[in-house]
Amino acid sequence: MSTAAAKLQNQSVTYRQLFAYFIPLAIQGFSASFNYPLIAMIASRGPGGAINHAAMSQAHSTMFFLSTLLSYGLVTTGMVYGKTRRGFDQFFKVNTLLAACLGILQFLLSLAPVANFVLGTLIGLPPSIAIPARWVLLYSIPVQLLFTVRNPYQVILYNHKSTGKASFATMLRIILTMMLAPVFVFFGMVGPFWATVCLTIPTVIEVVLSWYFAYPFMKCLPDDLHEQVKPIPELIRFNLVLSLGGGFIWLSQIILGSFIVRSPDPERIAPIYYVAAGIVNALASGAGRIQNVALSFPPKNRHDKKTLYFSVMVGLMLGGLILILLFPPITHWYFIQVQRLQPEDLPLIYATVIAFVLCPLTVSLRARLEGLVAYKEKPGLFLVGQLVYLVALTVSGCILSALKFPGNLLGPLGFIAANVTTACVFHYLLISSRQLRKLQKTVTAFWKG
């Protein structure tokens, strides 16, 4: 798409277009967390039983941490720098290089001496869990690489406003996994290895389908011979800065969990919080896709607030979905019957749900500003904002703990405080950088006479 066409589209963008772009992304975000529970039934039916499930969960958590540190910012990097043929080719090289590094690191982590130290000594897993977790890390290298290889095709689809096709590929993967899991169990192909195979086969199909959908757009990428393509080290630096910010987000989850388990009556409070958070995190993941909206529909000037109003609408609507959990039949069915919480804990459950209502709104506001920071190619500001998020969550956790807030409220209020603080800092940094540019232009004009 040419620059002129992109500007024209931004000028005429409607809320209907924004919703058409966002809804498939949100569905993709919601569904991303469904894949791993689907294969748990295969792992837990092998020798070792539920221990295999625990080992697989720990291995996948470790995989997620690795991919966060190396590739969390790759899609954003591609959306910023991969809009032309030469820019996309450069991004493709960076994605391939980091995929190889990710595969090598995971292989090294699955070697016995390293795995024993990381899983056994650092994390503290007993051998009954650490040993199968090590094998899952080894088995899962192909699926880790496939998710990274998928990035360039997702970038092409996002940049060309074809989020529906990207979401379809992901949903097909989940549906295929759902269909394959009972088949594996029926034929006795159970345990961590076969669970990983069941995860890998649909992922191959998703990558191939993503390539098929993206191929027509890749053929039509504009070829600007005068474009100054960013060198590979600069793209890697941009991605790693964004990825380090993602690492701060991951670390904040651990810090928040440490506050919750240290709150009064953690055996009762922690399950309530985590059951409610499971649904809210899925909705917040959808709200986080506002970042992609801000990248694809950047404001044409500082008075263009359309994506701001859109992020508020999305956040309020997703918050409204959380309120459905307050409907007594749904509350009893999900929290009491499905998740096996105690009926006498219903007042705490209702309080937790209400405390979570504003979380999607604060996430969507923060995500929009993250998108604007990435669009303006300011990874340093992005990293500062994520560091502020980590600090704000830690400070709010300390304050709320000192005030003796229960853990089920400490989590939601901490997230809201961290999101609001980070959004304010991003807004300030964007305004400050704009004012600094104006000052530089004024000084330069004055100097030139």
Side-chain angles (χ1 to χ4, degrees):
M1 181 184 294
S2 66
T3 304
K7 288 183 178 179
L8 180 62
Q9 188 172 20
N10 286 337
Q11 289 173 354
S12 60
V13 66
T14 64
Y15 288 114
R16 183 175 180 178
Q17 289 174 308
L18 291 175
F19 273 112
Y21 182 88
F22 170 76
I23 289 175
L25 284 178
I27 293 173
Q28 193 177 28
F30 299 155
S31 60
S33 58
F34 295 157
N35 225 30
Y36 295 110
L38 288 173
I39 63 171
M41 61 185 293
I42 302 175
S44 60
R45 281 168 169 77
I51 288 178
N52 290 332
H53 187 185
M56 179 164 279
S57 297
Q58 186 60 60
H60 289 161
S61 177
T62 306
M63 283 172 53
F64 176 73
F65 178 64
L66 277 179
S67 61
T68 296
L69 290 182
L70 277 183
S71 62
Y72 176 84
L74 274 174
V75 171
T76 301
T77 303
M79 292 186 69
V80 173
Y81 294 110
K83 296 180 179 179
T84 63
R85 187 178 305 278
R86 295 175 64 206
F88 179 77
D89 288 344
Q90 198 81 320
F91 166 69
F92 194 91
K93 294 175 185 175
V94 169
N95 190 80
T96 303
L97 177 63
L98 290 178
C101 292
L102 193 57
I104 292 170
L105 282 175
Q106 189 162 326
F107 173 74
L108 294 175
L109 190 56
S110 68
L111 296 178
V114 182
N116 290 339
F117 174 73
V118 173
L119 299 175
T121 305
L122 286 183
I123 299 178
L125 298 178
S128 59
I129 298 178
I131 293 174
R134 172 207 160 199
W135 287 108
V136 171
L137 281 173
L138 181 63
Y139 303 150
S140 301
I141 291 175
V143 77
Q144 179 83 291
L145 294 178
L146 284 167
F147 282 132
T148 310
V149 167
R150 182 191 61 176
N151 287 333
Y153 313 124
Q154 298 272 302
V155 164
I156 288 289
L157 294 172
Y158 290 174
N159 276 342
H160 288 82
K161 314 296 189 292
S162 292
T163 53
K165 293 180 178 179
S167 179
F168 175 79
T170 300
M171 291 302 298
L172 181 62
R173 164 170 58 87
I174 294 167
I175 292 170
L176 288 175
T177 306
M178 193 182 304
M179 294 170 62
L180 281 175
V183 174
F184 274 67
V185 173
F186 179 80
F187 285 102
M189 297 186 295
V190 292
F193 172 77
W194 288 111
T196 307
V197 172
C198 184
L199 180 65
T200 304
I201 294 173
T203 307
V204 172
I205 295 174
E206 181 192 14
V207 173
V208 173
L209 194 59
S210 297
W211 169 85
Y212 175 77
F213 287 149
Y215 183 70
F217 298 119
M218 289 191 289
K219 288 175 61 178
C220 299
L221 283 172
D223 196 357
D224 186 356
L225 298 178
H226 301 291
E227 177 191 10
Q228 300 240 340
V229 178
K230 298 290 185 182
I232 287 179
E234 186 168 340
L235 291 184
I236 292 176
R237 182 183 67 84
F238 185 89
N239 165 71
L240 291 180
V241 171
L242 299 185
S243 298
L244 184 58
F248 289 151
I249 297 291
W250 184 87
L251 183 59
S252 68
Q253 304 277 354
I254 299 176
I255 292 174
L256 186 63
S258 69
F259 283 117
I260 292 171
V261 298
R262 287 174 173 81
S263 64
D265 200 7
E267 292 84 3
R268 181 187 181 196
I269 294 297
I272 295 172
Y273 167 77
Y274 282 112
V275 168
I279 293 179
V280 175
N281 286 341
L283 295 174
S285 176
R289 296 305 184 101
I290 291 290
Q291 180 184 138
N292 302 99
V293 175
L295 276 168
S296 294
F297 300 94
K300 56 183 180 292
N301 55 57
R302 64 189 182 92
H303 301 293
D304 184 1
K305 306 293 186 183
K306 183 153 285 188
T307 56
L308 171 61
Y309 301 145
F310 180 74
S311 65
V312 172
M313 283 191 290
V314 166
L316 291 175
M317 285 189 294
L318 293 176
L321 291 177
I322 294 175
L323 290 176
I324 295 175
L325 294 174
L326 296 176
F327 188 52
I330 295 178
T331 309
H332 279 269
W333 171 75
Y334 181 71
F335 289 98
I336 308 302
Q337 296 180 20
V338 176
Q339 299 294 346
R340 300 295 182 183
L341 297 179
Q342 299 303 313
E344 57 267 26
D345 289 333
L346 279 174
L348 291 174
I349 293 171
Y350 285 127
T352 306
V353 171
I354 293 171
F356 266 125
V357 166
L358 291 179
C359 279
L361 174 61
T362 59
V363 169
S364 65
L365 292 173
R366 190 198 80 213
R368 172 184 172 268
L369 290 165
E370 288 175 347
L372 293 180
V373 168
Y375 175 76
K376 294 179 181 295
E377 301 179 20
K378 296 183 179 296
L381 298 187
F382 189 96
L383 183 60
V384 169
Q386 301 299 349
L387 182 59
V388 167
Y389 181 91
L390 179 63
V391 173
L393 191 64
T394 304
V395 171
S396 62
C398 291
I399 294 174
L400 293 170
S401 296
L403 295 175
K404 305 299 182 182
F405 271 73
N408 64 308
L409 298 183
L410 189 151
L413 295 179
F415 272 127
I416 291 171
N419 284 320
V420 171
T421 303
T422 307
C424 291
V425 169
F426 274 135
H427 180 68
Y428 172 77
L429 291 174
L430 285 170
I431 292 177
S432 299
S433 62
R434 185 163 61 236
Q435 292 175 341
L436 181 60
R437 285 198 307 273
K438 287 183 179 178
L439 179 62
Q440 289 173 338
K441 288 180 182 178
T442 303
V443 172
T444 302
F446 177 80
W447 181 259
K448 291 181 178 178

CSV table of all heavy atoms in Angstrom, one decimal, residues 69-110:
chain,number,residue,atom,x,y,z
A,69,LEU,N,11.5,-12.8,25.9
A,69,LEU,CA,12.8,-12.0,26.0
A,69,LEU,C,13.3,-11.8,24.6
A,69,LEU,O,14.0,-10.8,24.3
A,69,LEU,CB,13.8,-12.7,26.8
A,69,LEU,CG,13.5,-12.7,28.4
A,69,LEU,CD1,14.6,-13.4,29.1
A,69,LEU,CD2,13.4,-11.2,28.9
A,70,LEU,N,13.1,-12.8,23.6
A,70,LEU,CA,13.7,-12.7,22.3
A,70,LEU,C,12.7,-12.2,21.2
A,70,LEU,O,13.2,-11.5,20.3
A,70,LEU,CB,14.3,-14.0,21.9
A,70,LEU,CG,15.7,-14.4,22.4
A,70,LEU,CD1,16.1,-15.7,21.8
A,70,LEU,CD2,16.7,-13.3,22.1
A,71,SER,N,11.5,-12.5,21.3
A,71,SER,CA,10.6,-12.3,20.2
A,71,SER,C,9.3,-11.6,20.5
A,71,SER,O,8.4,-11.5,19.6
A,71,SER,CB,10.3,-13.6,19.5
A,71,SER,OG,9.6,-14.5,20.4
A,72,TYR,N,9.1,-11.1,21.7
A,72,TYR,CA,7.9,-10.4,22.1
A,72,TYR,C,7.6,-9.3,21.2
A,72,TYR,O,6.4,-9.0,20.8
A,72,TYR,CB,8.0,-10.0,23.5
A,72,TYR,CG,6.8,-9.2,24.0
A,72,TYR,CD1,5.7,-9.8,24.5
A,72,TYR,CD2,6.8,-7.8,24.1
A,72,TYR,CE1,4.6,-9.1,25.0
A,72,TYR,CE2,5.7,-7.1,24.5
A,72,TYR,CZ,4.6,-7.7,25.0
A,72,TYR,OH,3.6,-7.0,25.5
A,73,GLY,N,8.6,-8.5,20.8
A,73,GLY,CA,8.4,-7.3,20.0
A,73,GLY,C,8.5,-7.5,18.5
A,73,GLY,O,8.5,-6.5,17.7
A,74,LEU,N,8.6,-8.8,18.0
A,74,LEU,CA,8.8,-9.0,16.6
A,74,LEU,C,7.7,-8.5,15.7
A,74,LEU,O,7.9,-7.9,14.6
A,74,LEU,CB,9.2,-10.4,16.3
A,74,LEU,CG,10.6,-10.8,16.5
A,74,LEU,CD1,10.8,-12.4,16.3
A,74,LEU,CD2,11.5,-10.1,15.5
A,75,VAL,N,6.4,-8.8,16.1
A,75,VAL,CA,5.3,-8.4,15.3
A,75,VAL,C,5.2,-6.9,15.2
A,75,VAL,O,5.0,-6.4,14.1
A,75,VAL,CB,4.0,-9.0,15.9
A,75,VAL,CG1,2.8,-8.5,15.2
A,75,VAL,CG2,4.0,-10.6,15.7
A,76,THR,N,5.4,-6.2,16.3
A,76,THR,CA,5.4,-4.8,16.3
A,76,THR,C,6.5,-4.2,15.4
A,76,THR,O,6.3,-3.3,14.7
A,76,THR,CB,5.5,-4.2,17.7
A,76,THR,OG1,4.4,-4.7,18.5
A,76,THR,CG2,5.5,-2.7,17.7
A,77,THR,N,7.7,-4.8,15.5
A,77,THR,CA,8.8,-4.4,14.7
A,77,THR,C,8.5,-4.6,13.2
A,77,THR,O,8.8,-3.7,12.4
A,77,THR,CB,10.1,-5.3,15.0
A,77,THR,OG1,10.4,-5.1,16.4
A,77,THR,CG2,11.3,-4.8,14.2
A,78,GLY,N,7.9,-5.7,12.8
A,78,GLY,CA,7.5,-5.9,11.5
A,78,GLY,C,6.4,-4.9,11.0
A,78,GLY,O,6.5,-4.4,9.8
A,79,MET,N,5.5,-4.6,11.9
A,79,MET,CA,4.4,-3.7,11.5
A,79,MET,C,5.0,-2.3,11.3
A,79,MET,O,4.5,-1.5,10.4
A,79,MET,CB,3.3,-3.6,12.5
A,79,MET,CG,2.5,-4.9,12.6
A,79,MET,SD,1.1,-4.8,13.7
A,79,MET,CE,0.1,-3.6,12.8
A,80,VAL,N,6.1,-1.9,12.0
A,80,VAL,CA,6.7,-0.6,11.8
A,80,VAL,C,7.6,-0.5,10.6
A,80,VAL,O,7.5,0.4,9.8
A,80,VAL,CB,7.4,-0.2,13.1
A,80,VAL,CG1,8.2,1.1,12.9
A,80,VAL,CG2,6.5,-0.1,14.3
A,81,TYR,N,8.4,-1.6,10.4
A,81,TYR,CA,9.5,-1.5,9.4
A,81,TYR,C,9.3,-2.4,8.2
A,81,TYR,O,10.1,-2.3,7.3
A,81,TYR,CB,10.8,-1.9,10.1
A,81,TYR,CG,11.3,-0.9,11.1
A,81,TYR,CD1,11.3,-1.3,12.5
A,81,TYR,CD2,11.7,0.4,10.8
A,81,TYR,CE1,11.8,-0.4,13.5
A,81,TYR,CE2,12.2,1.3,11.8
A,81,TYR,CZ,12.2,0.9,13.1
A,81,TYR,OH,12.6,1.8,14.1
A,82,GLY,N,8.2,-3.2,8.2
A,82,GLY,CA,8.1,-4.2,7.1
A,82,GLY,C,7.0,-3.8,6.1
A,82,GLY,O,6.3,-4.7,5.6
A,83,LYS,N,6.8,-2.5,5.9
A,83,LYS,CA,5.7,-2.1,5.0
A,83,LYS,C,6.0,-2.1,3.5
A,83,LYS,O,5.2,-2.0,2.7
A,83,LYS,CB,5.1,-0.8,5.4
A,83,LYS,CG,4.5,-0.8,6.8
A,83,LYS,CD,4.0,0.6,7.3
A,83,LYS,CE,3.4,0.5,8.7
A,83,LYS,NZ,2.9,1.8,9.1
A,84,THR,N,7.3,-2.1,3.2
A,84,THR,CA,7.8,-2.1,1.8
A,84,THR,C,8.5,-3.4,1.5
A,84,THR,O,8.8,-4.2,2.5
A,84,THR,CB,8.7,-1.0,1.5
A,84,THR,OG1,9.9,-1.1,2.3
A,84,THR,CG2,8.1,0.4,1.8
A,85,ARG,N,8.8,-3.7,0.3
A,85,ARG,CA,9.4,-5.0,-0.1
A,85,ARG,C,10.8,-5.1,0.6
A,85,ARG,O,11.1,-6.2,1.2
A,85,ARG,CB,9.5,-5.1,-1.6
A,85,ARG,CG,10.0,-6.5,-2.0
A,85,ARG,CD,10.1,-6.6,-3.6
A,85,ARG,NE,8.8,-6.2,-4.1
A,85,ARG,CZ,7.8,-7.1,-4.2
A,85,ARG,NH1,7.9,-8.3,-3.8
A,85,ARG,NH2,6.7,-6.7,-4.8
A,86,ARG,N,11.6,-4.1,0.5
A,86,ARG,CA,12.9,-4.2,1.1
A,86,ARG,C,12.9,-4.2,2.6
A,86,ARG,O,13.7,-4.9,3.2
A,86,ARG,CB,13.8,-3.0,0.6
A,86,ARG,CG,14.0,-3.0,-1.0
A,86,ARG,CD,14.8,-1.8,-1.4
A,86,ARG,NE,16.1,-1.8,-0.8
A,86,ARG,CZ,16.8,-0.6,-0.6
A,86,ARG,NH1,16.2,0.5,-1.0
A,86,ARG,NH2,18.0,-0.7,-0.1
A,87,GLY,N,12.0,-3.4,3.1
A,87,GLY,CA,11.8,-3.4,4.6
A,87,GLY,C,11.4,-4.7,5.1
A,87,GLY,O,11.8,-5.2,6.1
A,88,PHE,N,10.4,-5.4,4.4
A,88,PHE,CA,9.9,-6.7,4.8
A,88,PHE,C,11.0,-7.7,4.7
A,88,PHE,O,11.1,-8.6,5.6
A,88,PHE,CB,8.7,-7.1,4.0
A,88,PHE,CG,8.1,-8.4,4.4
A,88,PHE,CD1,7.4,-8.6,5.5
A,88,PHE,CD2,8.4,-9.5,3.6
A,88,PHE,CE1,6.8,-9.8,5.9
A,88,PHE,CE2,7.9,-10.8,3.9
A,88,PHE,CZ,7.1,-10.9,5.1
A,89,ASP,N,11.8,-7.7,3.6
A,89,ASP,CA,12.9,-8.6,3.5
A,89,ASP,C,13.9,-8.5,4.6
A,89,ASP,O,14.4,-9.5,5.1
A,89,ASP,CB,13.6,-8.4,2.1
A,89,ASP,CG,12.7,-8.8,1.0
A,89,ASP,OD1,11.8,-9.6,1.2
A,89,ASP,OD2,13.1,-8.4,-0.2
A,90,GLN,N,14.1,-7.3,5.0
A,90,GLN,CA,15.1,-7.1,6.2
A,90,GLN,C,14.5,-7.6,7.4
A,90,GLN,O,15.2,-8.3,8.2
A,90,GLN,CB,15.4,-5.6,6.3
A,90,GLN,CG,16.6,-5.3,7.1
A,90,GLN,CD,17.9,-5.4,6.3
A,90,GLN,OE1,18.0,-6.3,5.5
A,90,GLN,NE2,18.8,-4.5,6.5
A,91,PHE,N,13.2,-7.4,7.7
A,91,PHE,CA,12.5,-7.9,8.9
A,91,PHE,C,12.5,-9.4,8.8
A,91,PHE,O,12.7,-10.1,9.9
A,91,PHE,CB,11.1,-7.4,9.0
A,91,PHE,CG,10.2,-8.1,9.9
A,91,PHE,CD1,10.5,-8.0,11.3
A,91,PHE,CD2,9.2,-8.9,9.5
A,91,PHE,CE1,9.7,-8.7,12.2
A,91,PHE,CE2,8.4,-9.6,10.4
A,91,PHE,CZ,8.7,-9.5,11.8
A,92,PHE,N,12.2,-10.0,7.7
A,92,PHE,CA,12.2,-11.5,7.5
A,92,PHE,C,13.6,-12.1,8.0
A,92,PHE,O,13.6,-13.1,8.6
A,92,PHE,CB,11.9,-11.9,6.1
A,92,PHE,CG,11.5,-13.3,5.9
A,92,PHE,CD1,10.2,-13.7,6.0
A,92,PHE,CD2,12.5,-14.3,5.7
A,92,PHE,CE1,9.9,-15.1,5.8
A,92,PHE,CE2,12.2,-15.6,5.5
A,92,PHE,CZ,10.9,-16.0,5.6
A,93,LYS,N,14.7,-11.4,7.6
A,93,LYS,CA,16.0,-11.9,8.0
A,93,LYS,C,16.1,-11.9,9.5
A,93,LYS,O,16.7,-12.8,10.1
A,93,LYS,CB,17.1,-11.1,7.3
A,93,LYS,CG,17.1,-11.2,5.8
A,93,LYS,CD,18.2,-10.3,5.2
A,93,LYS,CE,18.2,-10.3,3.7
A,93,LYS,NZ,19.1,-9.3,3.1
A,94,VAL,N,15.7,-10.8,10.1
A,94,VAL,CA,15.8,-10.6,11.5
A,94,VAL,C,14.9,-11.7,12.3
A,94,VAL,O,15.4,-12.3,13.2
A,94,VAL,CB,15.3,-9.2,12.0
A,94,VAL,CG1,15.2,-9.1,13.5
A,94,VAL,CG2,16.3,-8.2,11.5
A,95,ASN,N,13.7,-11.9,11.8
A,95,ASN,CA,12.8,-12.9,12.4
A,95,ASN,C,13.5,-14.3,12.3
A,95,ASN,O,13.4,-15.1,13.2
A,95,ASN,CB,11.5,-12.9,11.7
A,95,ASN,CG,10.4,-13.7,12.4
A,95,ASN,OD1,9.8,-13.3,13.3
A,95,ASN,ND2,10.2,-14.9,11.8
A,96,THR,N,14.1,-14.6,11.1
A,96,THR,CA,14.7,-15.9,10.9
A,96,THR,C,15.9,-16.1,11.9
A,96,THR,O,16.1,-17.2,12.5
A,96,THR,CB,15.1,-16.1,9.5
A,96,THR,OG1,14.0,-15.9,8.6
A,96,THR,CG2,15.7,-17.5,9.2
A,97,LEU,N,16.7,-15.0,12.0
A,97,LEU,CA,17.9,-15.1,12.9
A,97,LEU,C,17.5,-15.3,14.3
A,97,LEU,O,18.0,-16.2,15.0
A,97,LEU,CB,18.7,-13.8,12.7
A,97,LEU,CG,19.9,-13.6,13.6
A,97,LEU,CD1,20.9,-14.7,13.3
A,97,LEU,CD2,20.5,-12.2,13.5
A,98,LEU,N,16.4,-14.6,14.8
A,98,LEU,CA,16.0,-14.7,16.2
A,98,LEU,C,15.3,-16.0,16.4
A,98,LEU,O,15.4,-16.6,17.5
A,98,LEU,CB,15.1,-13.5,16.5
A,98,LEU,CG,15.8,-12.2,16.6
A,98,LEU,CD1,14.8,-11.1,17.0
A,98,LEU,CD2,16.9,-12.2,17.7
A,99,ALA,N,14.6,-16.6,15.4
A,99,ALA,CA,14.0,-17.9,15.5
A,99,ALA,C,15.1,-19.0,15.7
A,99,ALA,O,15.0,-19.8,16.6
A,99,ALA,CB,13.2,-18.2,14.3
A,100,ALA,N,16.2,-18.8,15.0
A,100,ALA,CA,17.3,-19.8,15.1
A,100,ALA,C,17.9,-19.6,16.5
A,100,ALA,O,18.2,-20.7,17.2
A,100,ALA,CB,18.4,-19.5,14.1
A,101,CYS,N,18.1,-18.4,17.0
A,101,CYS,CA,18.7,-18.2,18.4
A,101,CYS,C,17.7,-18.8,19.4
A,101,CYS,O,18.2,-19.4,20.4
A,101,CYS,CB,18.9,-16.7,18.6
A,101,CYS,SG,20.1,-15.9,17.6
A,102,LEU,N,16.4,-18.6,19.2
A,102,LEU,CA,15.5,-19.1,20.2
A,102,LEU,C,15.5,-20.7,20.2
A,102,LEU,O,15.5,-21.3,21.3
A,102,LEU,CB,14.1,-18.7,19.8
A,102,LEU,CG,12.9,-18.8,20.8
A,102,LEU,CD1,13.2,-18.1,22.1
A,102,LEU,CD2,11.6,-18.3,20.2
A,103,GLY,N,15.6,-21.3,19.0
A,103,GLY,CA,15.7,-22.7,19.0
A,103,GLY,C,17.0,-23.3,19.7
A,103,GLY,O,16.9,-24.3,20.4
A,104,ILE,N,18.1,-22.6,19.4
A,104,ILE,CA,19.4,-23.0,20.1
A,104,ILE,C,19.3,-22.9,21.6
A,104,ILE,O,19.7,-23.7,22.3
A,104,ILE,CB,20.5,-22.2,19.5
A,104,ILE,CG1,20.7,-22.5,18.0
A,104,ILE,CG2,21.8,-22.4,20.3
A,104,ILE,CD1,21.7,-21.6,17.3
A,105,LEU,N,18.8,-21.7,22.1
A,105,LEU,CA,18.7,-21.5,23.5
A,105,LEU,C,17.8,-22.5,24.2
A,105,LEU,O,18.1,-23.1,25.2
A,105,LEU,CB,18.1,-20.1,23.8
A,105,LEU,CG,19.1,-18.9,23.6
A,105,LEU,CD1,18.4,-17.6,23.8
A,105,LEU,CD2,20.3,-19.1,24.6
A,106,GLN,N,16.7,-22.9,23.5
A,106,GLN,CA,15.8,-23.9,24.1
A,106,GLN,C,16.4,-25.2,24.1
A,106,GLN,O,16.2,-26.0,25.0
A,106,GLN,CB,14.5,-23.9,23.4
A,106,GLN,CG,13.4,-24.8,24.1
A,106,GLN,CD,12.0,-24.5,23.6
A,106,GLN,OE1,11.7,-23.3,23.3
A,106,GLN,NE2,11.2,-25.5,23.5
A,107,PHE,N,17.2,-25.5,23.1
A,107,PHE,CA,17.9,-26.8,23.0
A,107,PHE,C,18.9,-26.9,24.2
A,107,PHE,O,19.0,-27.9,24.9
A,107,PHE,CB,18.6,-27.0,21.7
A,107,PHE,CG,19.5,-28.2,21.6
A,107,PHE,CD1,19.0,-29.5,21.5
A,107,PHE,CD2,20.9,-28.1,21.7
A,107,PHE,CE1,19.8,-30.6,21.5
A,107,PHE,CE2,21.7,-29.2,21.7
A,107,PHE,CZ,21.2,-30.4,21.6
A,108,LEU,N,19.7,-25.8,24.4
A,108,LEU,CA,20.7,-25.8,25.5
A,108,LEU,C,20.0,-25.9,26.8
A,108,LEU,O,20.5,-26.6,27.7
A,108,LEU,CB,21.5,-24.5,25.4
A,108,LEU,CG,22.4,-24.3,24.2
A,108,LEU,CD1,23.1,-22.9,24.2
A,108,LEU,CD2,23.5,-25.4,24.1
A,109,LEU,N,18.8,-25.3,26.9
A,109,LEU,CA,18.1,-25.4,28.2
A,109,LEU,C,17.6,-26.8,28.5
A,109,LEU,O,17.3,-27.1,29.6
A,109,LEU,CB,16.9,-24.4,28.2
A,109,LEU,CG,16.2,-24.1,29.5
A,109,LEU,CD1,17.1,-23.7,30.6
A,109,LEU,CD2,15.1,-23.1,29.3
A,110,SER,N,17.4,-27.6,27.4
A,110,SER,CA,16.9,-28.9,27.6
A,110,SER,C,18.0,-29.9,27.9
A,110,SER,O,17.7,-31.1,28.2
A,110,SER,CB,16.1,-29.4,26.3
A,110,SER,OG,17.0,-29.5,25.2
